[in-house]
Amino acid sequence: MSENELLEKIKRRNPNEPEFIQAVEEVISSIGVVFKKHPEFHHLRLLERMAEPERLISFRVNWLDDNGEVQVNRGFRVQMNSALGPYKGGLRFHPSVNQSILKFLAFEQIFKNALTGLPLGGGKGGADFDPKGRSDAEIMRFCQAFMSELYRHIGHFTDVPAGDIGVGGREIGYLFGAYKKIRNEFTGVLTGKGREWGGSLIRPEATGYGLVYFSQYMLEKNDDSLKDKKCVVSGSGNVAQYTLEKLIELGAKPITASDSSGYIIDDEGINQEKLEFIKEIKNVNRGRISEYLEKYSNAKYVENDADKDYNPLWETKADCVFPCATQNEINKKDAENIKRSGAKLLTEGANMPLTAEAIDVICEAEILYAPGKATNAGGVAVSGLEMSQNRIGVYWSHEEVDNRLKNIMKDIHDNCVKTAEEYELNQHNYLAAANIYGFLKVADAMKAQGVI
């Protein structure tokens, strides 16, 4: 079966799942050279097996709001592939959550986890629950109801979820407490836990920090650095906040942040003091990024315009671009604007933030580009380190975890470079190299374990 025939078969089996098909198509388009070198992979149908979840769980979540009204949501866990280790991947609470989005995220997670070099399989889960506007008591009751079903399907050596959009430290705490009560055991079944009860230092920072470390390694390979680079960052949640923090630390000049309502531009640069204010707006007050202007009036706020088929944020002049908000936030027109802005590097903080057409524009412009499965792997890498610490009962210092994270991101970068050289790939584009390296690790494990 050719790659095109395989893609058509997967499309027929997964109708109305555009995000999942987009993720699969991206991988298929990258690995044709692998099948030429390893024709046995076709015979074993390894990619077809990777594209089919080992287990897809859907369940009802009933809970009471503060008015005593019954609310009904839908929960999911996609256990995609366990060839390299227990399923590992976050939980997302957002109204947009559906089977297609979670399957795309779980499929991406297979390769992302493989790139880290840690023994982790790929999975993802969540619910179509919106934490925005809900009280702490409502969020606690929802998390407890969600875990009353999920607990049956997860475990320390089976499936270890973490946080994602809408699931931060508060939600992980409620989920862990519910699991502990139901199972009567204190184990590392979730990562992203509080530092006082089994969590790892720098886990909240890891995705953003890892993204910036990877970007620095890309620039160093081209005899450059992040110092004094003007940077455009989208988002203002966990990933964006710690991307901003590490950029500031390394001497770059980030000038933007955004949320679903709009974005701010601060031409003077976002420094650590301003970042702390953003953290207060988003983490403490759970407010909107527009509140930034209440303290820093020299900045500019631009409200999102639903009638526009592009986002003006990406017209901002910049050296480096870091999309850290959500999938498909950059379309073809946005990518053309990024090209015109003079950007030299684009690395993904979010999962699949560029459409396929946008990736083509960025790569044709020879802008240094790397996909989220490589660049934002720092979060799951430190989750893997948290799992290791839980198992041995010893907890490492901030410096030790950070050094391990740097080494993991360096290894991912270097393995992508070596793969690009081996398969004669475009050195500006890390996408195919990341897909090939991750695919080979999982394929070899599946081949060794037989048809199961």
Side-chain angles (χ1 to χ4, degrees), residues 98-372:
N98 58 37
Q99 182 170 296
S100 175
I101 286 175
L102 292 181
K103 283 172 65 179
F104 125 63
L105 291 168
F107 185 73
E108 288 274 291
Q109 201 77 40
I110 299 171
F111 306 102
K112 181 187 300 186
N113 294 359
L115 285 164
T116 68
L118 299 172
L120 303 171
K124 208 75 177 183
D128 59 355
F129 167 75
D130 190 355
K132 287 182 181 177
R134 294 293 182 182
S135 69
D136 282 353
E138 287 177 320
I139 290 170
M140 180 181 71
R141 288 194 292 273
F142 176 81
C143 289
Q144 290 169 343
F146 183 84
M147 185 55 76
S148 70
E149 174 61 32
L150 184 66
Y151 86 93
R152 310 168 194 274
H153 311 291
I154 63 176
H156 196 40
F157 293 98
T158 305
D159 184 349
V160 184
D164 193 80
I165 293 172
V167 180
R170 172 183 56 177
E171 290 77 15
I172 291 292
Y174 292 148
L175 291 164
F176 181 81
Y179 182 88
K180 181 166 65 76
K181 183 176 179 62
I182 294 168
R183 296 298 298 263
N184 192 30
E185 62 182 31
F186 195 112
T187 59
V189 72
L190 290 159
T191 56
K193 300 184 291 298
R195 295 172 185 175
E196 298 80 12
W197 41 279
S200 174
L201 290 168
I202 81 162
R203 174 58 191 90
E205 300 93 330
T207 304
Y209 281 14
L211 168 64
V212 178
Y213 290 148
F214 193 100
S215 303
Q216 181 80 334
Y217 297 138
M218 291 173 70
L219 289 169
E220 286 175 355
K221 183 177 179 292
N222 288 271
D223 300 318
D224 204 347
S225 77
L226 282 165
K227 186 171 176 56
D228 298 325
K229 293 290 189 295
K230 186 181 287 188
C231 301
V232 168
V233 178
S234 69
S236 53
N238 178 278
V239 178
Q241 288 175 19
Y242 290 110
T243 297
L244 291 167
E245 184 165 285
K246 187 56 68 172
L247 287 171
I248 294 165
E249 182 184 320
L250 294 180
K253 184 183 178 182
I255 59 172
T256 66
S258 71
D259 60 20
S260 58
S261 61
Y263 64 93
I264 57 109
I265 300 178
D266 189 338
D267 288 326
E268 296 175 359
I270 298 172
N271 57 24
Q272 190 62 40
E273 175 193 297
K274 294 174 180 179
L275 175 58
E276 291 306 317
F277 185 64
I278 291 174
K279 289 180 180 180
E280 182 179 347
I281 292 170
K282 304 304 290 187
N283 300 350
V284 179
N285 301 332
R286 303 192 185 279
R288 311 306 295 171
I289 196 65
S290 57
E291 296 172 33
Y292 184 90
L293 270 67
E294 294 175 8
K295 188 169 182 179
Y296 303 105
S297 57
N298 288 337
K300 178 183 177 183
Y301 173 70
V302 180
E303 189 173 354
N304 286 341
D305 185 348
D307 293 331
K308 288 184 176 178
D309 59 354
Y310 68 96
N311 187 343
L313 170 64
W314 305 116
E315 295 178 309
T316 309
K317 297 290 184 183
D319 301 302
C320 302
V321 176
F322 302 92
C324 297
T326 191
Q327 69 264 14
N328 291 335
E329 60 176 299
I330 296 177
N331 61 27
K332 183 179 180 181
K333 284 191 176 180
D334 295 322
E336 289 168 346
N337 286 332
I338 290 169
K339 176 182 174 180
R340 282 191 287 269
S341 79
K344 304 301 181 187
L345 175 143
L346 188 155
T347 51
E348 298 181 346
N351 291 306
M352 204 168 71
L354 275 68
T355 65
E357 295 79 12
I359 292 172
D360 289 342
V361 171
I362 296 299
C363 294
E364 286 169 8
E366 295 200 337
I367 294 170
L368 284 172
Y369 166 71

Side-chain angles (χ1 to χ4, degrees), residues 365-383:
E366 295 200 337
I367 294 170
L368 284 172
Y369 166 71
K373 60 171 62 74
T375 58
N376 71 20
V380 74
V382 174
S383 282

Side-chain angles (χ1 to χ4, degrees), residues 195 197-200 386 389-397 400:
R195 295 172 185 175
W197 41 279
S200 174
E386 182 177 331
Q389 292 170 84
N390 289 165
R391 288 172 182 172
I392 63 177
V394 174
Y395 292 89
W396 302 317
S397 68
E400 183 165 359

